[in-house]
Amino acid sequence: MADFHLTRLSAAPPATVWDVVTDFAAYGDWMPLTRMRLDTGEPRLGWGFAGFSGLGPVGFSDSMLVSAWAPPGDDGRGTFRIVKTGRLLGGWAEVRVEPEGTGTRLDWQEGVVVRPLPFKRLFGPLLTRASEWLYGRAVDAMIARAEQRARSAGPEGGR
């Protein structure tokens, strides 16, 4: 199992960071060689999406379901949780945004299990390091996009 926790601070307001990290269609921008498939409608409890990572037909699907959904309210705090339901990858992810100073704190926690389980011991340490690096890059890119949107929105930062 790969368990990791990433924290990032952003100058962008919580609503802008939330909009970027919940734009699941854009996850292909953050993850190399990944195409996204989304359920219809807006994200909500029980809504699903999947990333297919690979070249052409060779690869794997990382399917997920939203198991908690609470967009930022007046206090600027929001959270969502997904459960990984794929044949190769299981686990969960929980993402939180909250005000921090004049910007936002983003916490991204994830636990990933490689199936079948005998691979867990063999690939666990490598998967943890690879996941921290890959998701770290992705979260950094999301923060950069949120900050770019906030700057483009002007002095109010998209509020």
Side-chain angles (χ1 to χ4, degrees), residues 5-17:
H5 180 185
L6 304 170
T7 298
R8 299 294 190 270
L9 300 178
S10 172
T16 303
V17 174

Side-chain angles (χ1 to χ4, degrees), residues 66-81:
V66 175
S67 61
W69 188 258
D74 292 338
D75 65 356
R77 298 175 191 274
T79 186
F80 71 87
R81 184 176 173 92

Side-chain angles (χ1 to χ4, degrees), residues 7-151:
T7 298
R8 299 294 190 270
L9 300 178
S10 172
T16 303
V17 174
W18 176 266
D19 288 346
V20 171
V21 300
T22 61
D23 182 1
F24 300 107
Y27 275 34
D29 295 349
W30 324 124
M31 298 296 178
L33 305 173
T34 299
R35 298 183 309 270
M36 298 305 296
R37 181 201 50 78
L38 287 68
D39 283 354
T40 58
E42 295 296 315
R44 63 193 175 282
L45 194 61
W47 185 84
F49 63 105
F52 181 83
S53 297
L55 291 172
V58 180
F60 68 94
S61 181
D62 184 10
S63 59
M64 294 159 264
L65 287 175
V66 175
S67 61
W69 188 258
D74 292 338
D75 65 356
R77 298 175 191 274
T79 186
F80 71 87
R81 184 176 173 92
I82 59 103
V83 176
K84 293 177 170 285
T85 60
R87 287 182 31 206
L88 180 63
L89 296 178
W92 57 273
E94 185 168 302
V95 178
R96 295 179 183 275
V97 300
E98 61 184 49
E100 176 91 13
T102 60
T104 303
R105 175 188 170 111
L106 170 69
D107 284 301
W108 187 296
Q109 290 185 258
E110 192 150 345
V112 180
V113 176
V114 177
R115 297 181 183 136
L117 290 179
F119 289 122
K120 175 181 163 182
R121 185 169 300 160
L122 180 63
F123 293 115
L126 176 61
L127 182 61
T128 296
R129 285 191 297 278
S131 295
E132 286 173 341
W133 176 79
L134 182 64
Y135 282 91
R137 286 184 65 236
V139 168
D140 289 344
M142 290 178 193
I143 291 294
R145 184 170 289 177
E147 290 178 350
Q148 178 186 24
R149 284 186 185 173
R151 283 191 301 273

